[in-house]
Amino acid sequence: MRSAVNTPFPVSHGSAAQRIESELRRLIVALELPPGVRLSESDIAERHGVSRQPVREALIGLARTRLVEIQPQRGTVVVKISVRKMMEARFVREAIETAVVRRACSSFDRQSRERINDLLEMQEQAARRDDHAAFQRYDELFHIALAEGAGCPLAWEAVQDIKAHMDRVCQLTLPGPEAMLPLIEQHRTIMSAIDAKDEDNAAEAMRRHLTEILRALPQVEAEHPELFSS
Amino acid sequence: MRSAVNTPFPVSHGSAAQRIESELRRLIVALELPPGVRLSESDIAERHGVSRQPVREALIGLARTRLVEIQPQRGTVVVKISVRKMMEARFVREAIETAVVRRACSSFDRQSRERINDLLEMQEQAARRDDHAAFQRYDELFHIALAEGAGCPLAWEAVQDIKAHMDRVCQLTLPGPEAMLPLIEQHRTIMSAIDAKDEDNAAEAMRRHLTEILRALPQVEAEHPELFSS
DNA sequence: TAGTGCATACTACCATACAAGCGTCGACCA
DNA sequence: TGGTCGACGCTTGTATGGTAGTATGCACTA
């Protein structure tokens, strides 16, 4: 069994379908499979050394989260980024996560609180060495720990798919440590408000955090129009 | 193209997998497939006259929304109702839908507003003739129209899976018109607040509405303990 | 030259067959 | 009689073959 001490990434799941889905999701979020490219069941199956069936199940899973679009009898493509839908996604995510931090102000699990400190530290290290993948993974773990600490792990599930799309945008807007470090500072601001049990400040800090993430969206759309839908 | 004037239910989707998934979801939400029962790919395939593959894909889809649990190499069961998770689900749904109605107070699509009036009327008729399925379907269409009218259809997608679980509880708590009609009145209260552009009242009305839905949850747990997880 | 119909090569989709893992029941043994 | 081991039947998971539908490009026509 592979050790995971040096990486925040979990080992691959059980079935081949789940493995491939995770792998494809990673590639899509990292924009290594850019929006618009066609995905062929046969190609992917061959590349991964499995049959087409598990690949098909993986693509169905990705289609459910709107990361790919399966066009019946035609093909499967990585969906392009829609500014409108990103704005809607931010709205929904803001609604959920501001509610979570408000709840966190009432009571927060001590163990999760300590874990978050560790996560923030490791996320900062990832940012300083310009490691996007690790940065985003620790960001994910931060929001997971937040939801769990607030006693609402189900909230994470609702945010998960939305976050995947936003992370795809972040891949374009976070070109270096100087762009990542402020986000970590925002995380710390959120936690300070939670520690102080200041609901309004915590919610506002989260709101600003999520707004900030998509601030540069119009700019990257101008720079990479081929990645966006009309 | 089949007319749908006499039924709020859409015609079945394209692929066999989607058809079966919709059918199974309907049966599960209606508690005709009660929590705890085992689902066999072979049985369902035979019953629907298809092979195991589309059934398998349908079950994977249902597992993603946590309506069934696939136990690898063992079997697939309809998940039992968890009071704790239902409370979390209500929390998340409340966060999203209160945000939606607040947004609706700022601007609301006129066409959607008119459609909601029709939906409420039809939902009331369904309640009076004690038609649970139609009642819940119109309830769904109400919340869809609400999200669309507020300009955030993506919010519905986030709520959809949560609502499916809550509807399963409603199947137990809404035994007659006298239980359904008050919910429609709550819908009307929400719309009145939106028409008056009163954000706080609209959000509070939505909050009370969603709280009301699960009010009888402890009671039904006592009456049907076999449907609930420990 | 512009336009139309057809052959072809691709796709997703479904059916069938096989493999692998888990639980259960029964035979066998102490 | 109590306990242990093993074979069988069930499940999900994977591989492979075949089908139907769509886009594309080429030959043919006006």
Side-chain angles (χ1 to χ4, degrees):
Chain A
M1 185 173 171
R2 254 180 58 193
S3 169
V5 288
N6 288 327
T7 168
F9 303 102
V11 295
S12 53
H13 301 73
S15 76
Q18 290 174 342
R19 271 204 324 270
I20 294 172
E21 180 175 344
S22 297
E23 173 70 3
L24 288 178
R25 171 172 280 112
R26 191 185 65 79
L27 292 173
I28 292 174
V29 172
L31 294 183
E32 297 181 30
L33 287 174
V37 301
R38 294 177 63 85
L39 300 178
S40 163
E41 289 184 358
S42 313
D43 284 1
I44 300 172
E46 198 172 354
R47 216 186 307 273
H48 286 75
V50 297
S51 77
R52 300 194 320 270
Q53 208 54 48
V55 174
R56 171 173 171 74
E57 290 172 6
L59 291 178
I60 290 176
L62 293 173
R64 191 169 287 267
T65 65
R66 303 282 196 274
L67 280 178
V68 306
E69 179 185 359
I70 300 177
Q71 301 161 335
Q73 315 295 352
R74 290 186 48 188
T76 301
V77 298
V78 179
V79 296
K80 297 204 171 186
I81 301 172
S82 161
V83 173
R84 176 180 185 82
K85 288 193 176 178
M86 287 306 306
M87 293 304 183
E88 287 186 33
R90 188 199 56 77
F91 172 79
V92 174
R93 187 178 173 188
E94 179 182 306
I96 298 174
E97 298 227 59
T98 54
V100 167
V101 294
R102 283 185 183 278
R103 187 183 175 117
C105 289
S106 302
S107 77
F108 200 76
D109 177 60
R110 223 185 89 259
Q111 202 169 356
S112 298
R113 184 62 189 89
E114 292 174 1
R115 172 164 170 74
I116 284 182
N117 278 340
D118 297 341
L119 289 173
L120 288 176
E121 184 59 34
M122 290 187 283
Q123 191 181 16
E124 182 169 342
Q125 293 174 12
R128 293 196 186 282
R129 67 172 185 269
D130 202 13
D131 184 343
H132 273 72
F135 176 86
Q136 286 187 339
R137 177 59 182 161
Y138 283 121
D139 187 78
E140 192 169 311
L141 292 173
F142 169 80
H143 288 275
I144 291 177
L146 204 55
E148 285 184 348
C152 197
L154 200 140
W156 163 248
E157 292 185 23
V159 171
Q160 194 167 18
D161 297 339
I162 293 174
K163 188 176 185 305
H165 284 84
M166 290 180 72
D167 282 347
R168 204 158 61 138
V169 173
C170 288
Q171 202 70 26
L172 296 169
T173 60
L174 298 181
E178 65 279 2
M180 289 186 269
L181 290 174
L183 297 183
I184 298 176
E185 201 50 45
Q186 292 169 12
H187 284 179
R188 291 211 167 92
T189 303
I190 293 170
M191 293 315 297
S192 297
I194 291 176
D195 290 339
K197 298 188 184 301
D198 186 336
E199 276 197 20
D200 292 337
N201 264 340
E204 178 61 18
M206 175 62 82
R207 202 190 63 76
R208 278 202 305 269
H209 176 53
L210 296 177
T211 303
E212 179 76 9
I213 289 177
L214 295 185
R215 200 174 48 85
L217 188 57
Q219 183 182 343
V220 298
E221 184 189 13
E223 292 174 359
H224 306 280
E226 74 281 6
L227 303 180
F228 288 77
S229 62
S230 54
Chain B
M1 186 173 171
R2 255 179 59 191
S3 169
V5 288
N6 288 327
T7 168
F9 303 102
V11 296
S12 54
H13 301 73
S15 76
Q18 290 174 344
R19 272 204 325 270
I20 294 171
E21 179 174 345
S22 297
E23 172 70 2
L24 288 177
R25 170 172 282 111
R26 192 185 65 79
L27 291 174
I28 292 174
V29 172
L31 295 182
E32 297 181 29
L33 287 174
V37 301
R38 294 176 61 86
L39 299 178
S40 165
E41 291 183 358
S42 312
D43 284 1
I44 300 172
E46 196 172 354
R47 217 185 307 273
H48 287 74
V50 297
S51 80
R52 267 185 49 216
Q53 209 52 49
V55 174
R56 173 175 171 74
E57 290 170 9
L59 290 177
I60 291 176
L62 293 173
R64 191 170 288 268
T65 66
R66 301 284 197 273
L67 279 178
V68 306
E69 179 185 357
I70 300 176
Q71 299 161 337
Q73 317 292 355
R74 290 187 50 190
T76 301
V77 299
V78 179
V79 296
K80 297 204 170 186
I81 301 172
S82 162
V83 174
R84 177 179 185 80
K85 287 193 176 179
M86 287 306 306
M87 292 306 181
E88 288 186 32
R90 189 199 56 78
F91 172 79
V92 174
R93 186 178 172 187
E94 179 182 306
I96 297 175
E97 299 227 59
T98 54
V100 167
V101 295
R102 282 184 183 277
R103 187 183 174 116
C105 288
S106 302
S107 77
F108 199 74
D109 177 60
R110 223 185 90 257
Q111 201 168 357
S112 298
R113 183 62 188 89
E114 293 173 1
R115 172 164 170 75
I116 284 182
N117 278 340
D118 297 341
L119 289 173
L120 287 176
E121 184 59 34
M122 290 187 282
Q123 191 181 16
E124 182 170 342
Q125 292 175 13
R128 293 195 185 282
R129 68 172 183 267
D130 202 13
D131 184 343
H132 273 72
F135 176 85
Q136 286 187 340
R137 178 58 184 164
Y138 285 121
D139 188 77
E140 193 170 307
L141 292 173
F142 169 80
H143 288 275
I144 291 176
L146 204 54
E148 285 184 349
C152 196
L154 199 141
W156 162 249
E157 291 186 24
V159 172
Q160 194 168 19
D161 297 339
I162 293 175
K163 187 177 187 306
H165 284 85
M166 292 180 72
D167 282 348
R168 204 159 59 139
V169 174
C170 288
Q171 202 71 25
L172 296 168
T173 60
L174 298 181
E178 65 280 1
M180 290 186 269
L181 289 174
L183 297 183
I184 298 176
E185 202 49 46
Q186 291 169 13
H187 284 179
R188 292 211 167 92
T189 304
I190 293 170
M191 295 314 299
S192 296
I194 291 177
D195 290 337
K197 297 188 183 302
D198 186 338
E199 276 198 20
D200 292 338
N201 264 341
E204 178 60 19
M206 175 61 81
R207 201 189 65 75
R208 277 201 308 269
H209 175 55
L210 296 177
T211 303
E212 180 78 8
I213 288 176
L214 294 185
R215 198 172 50 84
L217 188 57
Q219 183 182 344
V220 296
E221 183 189 13
E223 293 174 358
H224 306 280
E226 75 281 4
L227 304 180
F228 289 77
S229 63
S230 56

